[in-house]
PDB file of all heavy atoms in Angstrom:
ATOM      1  N   PHE A 316      87.429-208.427  -4.130  1.00  0.00           N
ATOM      2  CA  PHE A 316      86.153-209.062  -3.763  1.00  0.00           C
ATOM      3  C   PHE A 316      86.104-210.558  -4.092  1.00  0.00           C
ATOM      4  O   PHE A 316      85.207-211.255  -3.619  1.00  0.00           O
ATOM      5  CB  PHE A 316      84.992-208.338  -4.455  1.00  0.00           C
ATOM      6  CG  PHE A 316      84.773-206.954  -3.913  1.00  0.00           C
ATOM      7  CD1 PHE A 316      85.362-205.840  -4.506  1.00  0.00           C
ATOM      8  CD2 PHE A 316      83.997-206.762  -2.772  1.00  0.00           C
ATOM      9  CE1 PHE A 316      85.181-204.572  -3.988  1.00  0.00           C
ATOM     10  CE2 PHE A 316      83.814-205.492  -2.242  1.00  0.00           C
ATOM     11  CZ  PHE A 316      84.401-204.388  -2.847  1.00  0.00           C
ATOM     12  N   LYS A 317      87.072-211.023  -4.877  1.00  0.00           N
ATOM     13  CA  LYS A 317      87.048-212.424  -5.318  1.00  0.00           C
ATOM     14  C   LYS A 317      86.937-213.416  -4.160  1.00  0.00           C
ATOM     15  O   LYS A 317      86.094-214.321  -4.186  1.00  0.00           O
ATOM     16  CB  LYS A 317      88.290-212.717  -6.173  1.00  0.00           C
ATOM     17  CG  LYS A 317      88.355-214.141  -6.699  1.00  0.00           C
ATOM     18  CD  LYS A 317      89.566-214.324  -7.613  1.00  0.00           C
ATOM     19  CE  LYS A 317      89.703-215.776  -8.041  1.00  0.00           C
ATOM     20  NZ  LYS A 317      90.821-215.984  -8.973  1.00  0.00           N
ATOM     21  N   PRO A 318      87.779-213.300  -3.087  1.00  0.00           N
ATOM     22  CA  PRO A 318      87.672-214.295  -2.003  1.00  0.00           C
ATOM     23  C   PRO A 318      86.296-214.308  -1.317  1.00  0.00           C
ATOM     24  O   PRO A 318      85.828-215.362  -0.872  1.00  0.00           O
ATOM     25  CB  PRO A 318      88.773-213.888  -1.023  1.00  0.00           C
ATOM     26  CG  PRO A 318      89.229-212.524  -1.419  1.00  0.00           C
ATOM     27  CD  PRO A 318      88.902-212.365  -2.862  1.00  0.00           C
ATOM     28  N   TYR A 319      85.657-213.141  -1.245  1.00  0.00           N
ATOM     29  CA  TYR A 319      84.318-213.081  -0.614  1.00  0.00           C
ATOM     30  C   TYR A 319      83.289-213.831  -1.466  1.00  0.00           C
ATOM     31  O   TYR A 319      82.449-214.564  -0.951  1.00  0.00           O
ATOM     32  CB  TYR A 319      83.886-211.615  -0.429  1.00  0.00           C
ATOM     33  CG  TYR A 319      84.739-210.881   0.570  1.00  0.00           C
ATOM     34  CD1 TYR A 319      85.873-210.174   0.172  1.00  0.00           C
ATOM     35  CD2 TYR A 319      84.438-210.920   1.935  1.00  0.00           C
ATOM     36  CE1 TYR A 319      86.680-209.511   1.099  1.00  0.00           C
ATOM     37  CE2 TYR A 319      85.235-210.258   2.870  1.00  0.00           C
ATOM     38  CZ  TYR A 319      86.352-209.562   2.452  1.00  0.00           C
ATOM     39  OH  TYR A 319      87.143-208.921   3.366  1.00  0.00           O
ATOM     40  N   ILE A 320      83.384-213.631  -2.783  1.00  0.00           N
ATOM     41  CA  ILE A 320      82.444-214.304  -3.693  1.00  0.00           C
ATOM     42  C   ILE A 320      82.700-215.802  -3.693  1.00  0.00           C
ATOM     43  O   ILE A 320      81.765-216.613  -3.735  1.00  0.00           O
ATOM     44  CB  ILE A 320      82.541-213.715  -5.124  1.00  0.00           C
ATOM     45  CG1 ILE A 320      82.293-212.208  -5.116  1.00  0.00           C
ATOM     46  CG2 ILE A 320      81.571-214.411  -6.070  1.00  0.00           C
ATOM     47  CD1 ILE A 320      80.943-211.775  -4.554  1.00  0.00           C
ATOM     48  N   GLN A 321      83.988-216.194  -3.613  1.00  0.00           N
ATOM     49  CA  GLN A 321      84.309-217.642  -3.546  1.00  0.00           C
ATOM     50  C   GLN A 321      83.659-218.279  -2.316  1.00  0.00           C
ATOM     51  O   GLN A 321      83.078-219.364  -2.405  1.00  0.00           O
ATOM     52  CB  GLN A 321      85.833-217.834  -3.502  1.00  0.00           C
ATOM     53  CG  GLN A 321      86.468-217.715  -4.886  1.00  0.00           C
ATOM     54  CD  GLN A 321      87.992-217.789  -4.813  1.00  0.00           C
ATOM     55  OE1 GLN A 321      88.606-217.291  -3.865  1.00  0.00           O
ATOM     56  NE2 GLN A 321      88.604-218.398  -5.816  1.00  0.00           N
ATOM     57  N   ARG A 322      83.769-217.585  -1.181  1.00  0.00           N
ATOM     58  CA  ARG A 322      83.149-218.127   0.050  1.00  0.00           C
ATOM     59  C   ARG A 322      81.632-218.206  -0.082  1.00  0.00           C
ATOM     60  O   ARG A 322      81.002-219.171   0.357  1.00  0.00           O
ATOM     61  CB  ARG A 322      83.540-217.251   1.246  1.00  0.00           C
ATOM     62  CG  ARG A 322      84.975-217.483   1.726  1.00  0.00           C
ATOM     63  CD  ARG A 322      85.477-216.347   2.606  1.00  0.00           C
ATOM     64  NE  ARG A 322      84.687-216.189   3.836  1.00  0.00           N
ATOM     65  CZ  ARG A 322      84.753-215.119   4.623  1.00  0.00           C
ATOM     66  NH1 ARG A 322      85.560-214.109   4.313  1.00  0.00           N
ATOM     67  NH2 ARG A 322      84.013-215.045   5.715  1.00  0.00           N
ATOM     68  N   LEU A 323      81.052-217.179  -0.725  1.00  0.00           N
ATOM     69  CA  LEU A 323      79.603-217.179  -0.924  1.00  0.00           C
ATOM     70  C   LEU A 323      79.183-218.360  -1.808  1.00  0.00           C
ATOM     71  O   LEU A 323      78.230-219.093  -1.473  1.00  0.00           O
ATOM     72  CB  LEU A 323      79.164-215.857  -1.584  1.00  0.00           C
ATOM     73  CG  LEU A 323      77.676-215.773  -1.941  1.00  0.00           C
ATOM     74  CD1 LEU A 323      76.814-215.730  -0.684  1.00  0.00           C
ATOM     75  CD2 LEU A 323      77.389-214.560  -2.825  1.00  0.00           C
ATOM     76  N   LEU A 324      79.898-218.556  -2.923  1.00  0.00           N
ATOM     77  CA  LEU A 324      79.538-219.647  -3.844  1.00  0.00           C
ATOM     78  C   LEU A 324      79.671-221.002  -3.170  1.00  0.00           C
ATOM     79  O   LEU A 324      78.854-221.910  -3.388  1.00  0.00           O
ATOM     80  CB  LEU A 324      80.421-219.598  -5.109  1.00  0.00           C
ATOM     81  CG  LEU A 324      80.245-218.365  -6.016  1.00  0.00           C
ATOM     82  CD1 LEU A 324      81.114-218.488  -7.253  1.00  0.00           C
ATOM     83  CD2 LEU A 324      78.790-218.186  -6.422  1.00  0.00           C
ATOM     84  N   HIS A 325      80.685-221.131  -2.334  1.00  0.00           N
ATOM     85  CA  HIS A 325      80.892-222.388  -1.596  1.00  0.00           C
ATOM     86  C   HIS A 325      79.681-222.649  -0.684  1.00  0.00           C
ATOM     87  O   HIS A 325      79.156-223.762  -0.621  1.00  0.00           O
ATOM     88  CB  HIS A 325      82.181-222.292  -0.779  1.00  0.00           C
ATOM     89  CG  HIS A 325      82.515-223.544  -0.040  1.00  0.00           C
ATOM     90  ND1 HIS A 325      83.005-224.669  -0.679  1.00  0.00           N
ATOM     91  CD2 HIS A 325      82.404-223.864   1.283  1.00  0.00           C
ATOM     92  CE1 HIS A 325      83.183-225.627   0.237  1.00  0.00           C
ATOM     93  NE2 HIS A 325      82.835-225.156   1.425  1.00  0.00           N
ATOM     94  N   ALA A 326      79.224-221.589   0.000  1.00  0.00           N
ATOM     95  CA  ALA A 326      78.063-221.723   0.897  1.00  0.00           C
ATOM     96  C   ALA A 326      76.800-222.040   0.098  1.00  0.00           C
ATOM     97  O   ALA A 326      75.973-222.868   0.504  1.00  0.00           O
ATOM     98  CB  ALA A 326      77.875-220.423   1.688  1.00  0.00           C
ATOM     99  N   LEU A 327      76.646-221.385  -1.067  1.00  0.00           N
ATOM    100  CA  LEU A 327      75.446-221.605  -1.884  1.00  0.00           C
ATOM    101  C   LEU A 327      75.381-223.035  -2.412  1.00  0.00           C
ATOM    102  O   LEU A 327      74.313-223.646  -2.451  1.00  0.00           O
ATOM    103  CB  LEU A 327      75.405-220.606  -3.058  1.00  0.00           C
ATOM    104  CG  LEU A 327      75.193-219.138  -2.672  1.00  0.00           C
ATOM    105  CD1 LEU A 327      75.271-218.241  -3.900  1.00  0.00           C
ATOM    106  CD2 LEU A 327      73.845-218.941  -1.971  1.00  0.00           C
ATOM    107  N   ALA A 328      76.542-223.567  -2.809  1.00  0.00           N
ATOM    108  CA  ALA A 328      76.557-224.959  -3.293  1.00  0.00           C
ATOM    109  C   ALA A 328      76.091-225.898  -2.181  1.00  0.00           C
ATOM    110  O   ALA A 328      75.357-226.865  -2.425  1.00  0.00           O
ATOM    111  CB  ALA A 328      77.971-225.334  -3.762  1.00  0.00           C
ATOM    112  N   ARG A 329      76.481-225.586  -0.950  1.00  0.00           N
ATOM    113  CA  ARG A 329      76.065-226.435   0.183  1.00  0.00           C
ATOM    114  C   ARG A 329      74.558-226.293   0.435  1.00  0.00           C
ATOM    115  O   ARG A 329      73.866-227.255   0.688  1.00  0.00           O
ATOM    116  CB  ARG A 329      76.865-226.050   1.427  1.00  0.00           C
ATOM    117  CG  ARG A 329      76.819-227.106   2.544  1.00  0.00           C
ATOM    118  CD  ARG A 329      77.729-226.772   3.701  1.00  0.00           C
ATOM    119  NE  ARG A 329      77.354-225.516   4.355  1.00  0.00           N
ATOM    120  CZ  ARG A 329      78.038-224.381   4.224  1.00  0.00           C
ATOM    121  NH1 ARG A 329      79.130-224.324   3.486  1.00  0.00           N
ATOM    122  NH2 ARG A 329      77.631-223.279   4.845  1.00  0.00           N
ATOM    123  N   HIS A 330      74.052-225.053   0.315  1.00  0.00           N
ATOM    124  CA  HIS A 330      72.617-224.826   0.542  1.00  0.00           C
ATOM    125  C   HIS A 330      71.749-225.505  -0.522  1.00  0.00           C
ATOM    126  O   HIS A 330      70.566-225.749  -0.284  1.00  0.00           O
ATOM    127  CB  HIS A 330      72.312-223.325   0.554  1.00  0.00           C
ATOM    128  CG  HIS A 330      72.622-222.664   1.852  1.00  0.00           C
ATOM    129  ND1 HIS A 330      72.018-223.025   3.042  1.00  0.00           N
ATOM    130  CD2 HIS A 330      73.510-221.670   2.165  1.00  0.00           C
ATOM    131  CE1 HIS A 330      72.504-222.271   4.023  1.00  0.00           C
ATOM    132  NE2 HIS A 330      73.412-221.447   3.519  1.00  0.00           N
ATOM    133  N   CYS A 331      72.326-225.745  -1.704  1.00  0.00           N
ATOM    134  CA  CYS A 331      71.543-226.350  -2.798  1.00  0.00           C
ATOM    135  C   CYS A 331      71.395-227.868  -2.653  1.00  0.00           C
ATOM    136  O   CYS A 331      70.705-228.496  -3.457  1.00  0.00           O
ATOM    137  CB  CYS A 331      72.187-226.029  -4.153  1.00  0.00           C
ATOM    138  SG  CYS A 331      71.822-224.349  -4.682  1.00  0.00           S
ATOM    139  N   GLN A 332      72.055-228.441  -1.648  1.00  0.00           N
ATOM    140  CA  GLN A 332      71.978-229.900  -1.490  1.00  0.00           C
ATOM    141  C   GLN A 332      70.578-230.332  -1.069  1.00  0.00           C
ATOM    142  O   GLN A 332      69.962-229.737  -0.177  1.00  0.00           O
ATOM    143  CB  GLN A 332      72.989-230.370  -0.434  1.00  0.00           C
ATOM    144  CG  GLN A 332      74.438-230.248  -0.893  1.00  0.00           C
ATOM    145  CD  GLN A 332      75.427-230.556   0.226  1.00  0.00           C
ATOM    146  OE1 GLN A 332      75.078-231.195   1.217  1.00  0.00           O
ATOM    147  NE2 GLN A 332      76.660-230.104   0.067  1.00  0.00           N
ATOM    148  N   LEU A 333      70.104-231.379  -1.721  1.00  0.00           N
ATOM    149  CA  LEU A 333      68.823-231.983  -1.336  1.00  0.00           C
ATOM    150  C   LEU A 333      69.025-232.800  -0.064  1.00  0.00           C
ATOM    151  O   LEU A 333      70.178-233.130   0.289  1.00  0.00           O
ATOM    152  CB  LEU A 333      68.321-232.897  -2.464  1.00  0.00           C
ATOM    153  CG  LEU A 333      68.050-232.194  -3.807  1.00  0.00           C
ATOM    154  CD1 LEU A 333      67.928-233.226  -4.924  1.00  0.00           C
ATOM    155  CD2 LEU A 333      66.774-231.379  -3.737  1.00  0.00           C
ATOM    156  N   ASP A 334      67.954-233.157   0.610  1.00  0.00           N
ATOM    157  CA  ASP A 334      68.074-234.017   1.794  1.00  0.00           C
ATOM    158  C   ASP A 334      68.606-235.381   1.378  1.00  0.00           C
ATOM    159  O   ASP A 334      68.200-235.916   0.340  1.00  0.00           O
ATOM    160  CB  ASP A 334      66.705-234.200   2.467  1.00  0.00           C
ATOM    161  CG  ASP A 334      66.265-232.936   3.190  1.00  0.00           C
ATOM    162  OD1 ASP A 334      67.165-232.167   3.592  1.00  0.00           O
ATOM    163  OD2 ASP A 334      65.052-232.722   3.323  1.00  0.00           O
ATOM    164  N   PRO A 335      69.484-235.971   2.215  1.00  0.00           N
ATOM    165  CA  PRO A 335      70.033-237.297   1.857  1.00  0.00           C
ATOM    166  C   PRO A 335      68.943-238.357   1.640  1.00  0.00           C
ATOM    167  O   PRO A 335      69.135-239.290   0.859  1.00  0.00           O
ATOM    168  CB  PRO A 335      70.916-237.652   3.061  1.00  0.00           C
ATOM    169  CG  PRO A 335      71.252-236.334   3.690  1.00  0.00           C
ATOM    170  CD  PRO A 335      70.091-235.448   3.449  1.00  0.00           C
ATOM    171  N   ASP A 336      67.785-238.208   2.306  1.00  0.00           N
ATOM    172  CA  ASP A 336      66.730-239.214   2.137  1.00  0.00           C
ATOM    173  C   ASP A 336      65.706-238.824   1.065  1.00  0.00           C
ATOM    174  O   ASP A 336      64.639-239.427   0.951  1.00  0.00           O
ATOM    175  CB  ASP A 336      66.013-239.483   3.474  1.00  0.00           C
ATOM    176  CG  ASP A 336      65.432-238.202   4.074  1.00  0.00           C
ATOM    177  OD1 ASP A 336      65.642-237.112   3.475  1.00  0.00           O
ATOM    178  OD2 ASP A 336      64.774-238.278   5.129  1.00  0.00           O
ATOM    179  N   HIS A 337      66.039-237.777   0.275  1.00  0.00           N
ATOM    180  CA  HIS A 337      65.128-237.342  -0.805  1.00  0.00           C
ATOM    181  C   HIS A 337      65.025-238.446  -1.859  1.00  0.00           C
ATOM    182  O   HIS A 337      66.027-239.035  -2.257  1.00  0.00           O
ATOM    183  CB  HIS A 337      65.671-236.057  -1.445  1.00  0.00           C
ATOM    184  CG  HIS A 337      64.846-235.548  -2.607  1.00  0.00           C
ATOM    185  ND1 HIS A 337      63.824-234.644  -2.438  1.00  0.00           N
ATOM    186  CD2 HIS A 337      64.887-235.832  -3.932  1.00  0.00           C
ATOM    187  CE1 HIS A 337      63.270-234.396  -3.618  1.00  0.00           C
ATOM    188  NE2 HIS A 337      63.899-235.101  -4.546  1.00  0.00           N
ATOM    189  N   GLU A 338      63.816-238.696  -2.312  1.00  0.00           N
ATOM    190  CA  GLU A 338      63.616-239.688  -3.377  1.00  0.00           C
ATOM    191  C   GLU A 338      63.144-238.996  -4.639  1.00  0.00           C
ATOM    192  O   GLU A 338      62.452-237.988  -4.589  1.00  0.00           O
ATOM    193  CB  GLU A 338      62.586-240.734  -2.931  1.00  0.00           C
ATOM    194  CG  GLU A 338      63.111-241.623  -1.808  1.00  0.00           C
ATOM    195  CD  GLU A 338      62.100-242.684  -1.384  1.00  0.00           C
ATOM    196  OE1 GLU A 338      61.039-242.781  -2.055  1.00  0.00           O
ATOM    197  OE2 GLU A 338      62.369-243.386  -0.408  1.00  0.00           O
ATOM    198  N   GLY A 339      63.501-239.560  -5.792  1.00  0.00           N
ATOM    199  CA  GLY A 339      63.046-239.003  -7.070  1.00  0.00           C
ATOM    200  C   GLY A 339      63.859-237.798  -7.510  1.00  0.00           C
ATOM    201  O   GLY A 339      64.952-237.543  -7.008  1.00  0.00           O
TER     202      GLY A 339
END
Side-chain angles (χ1 to χ4, degrees):
F316 291 94
K317 181 176 175 177
Y319 293 91
I320 303 302
Q321 280 175 324
R322 284 163 62 194
L323 176 68
L324 295 183
H325 183 74
L327 292 176
R329 197 174 62 254
H330 279 300
C331 282
Q332 290 173 20
L333 299 165
D334 287 334
D336 57 357
H337 178 91
E338 291 181 6

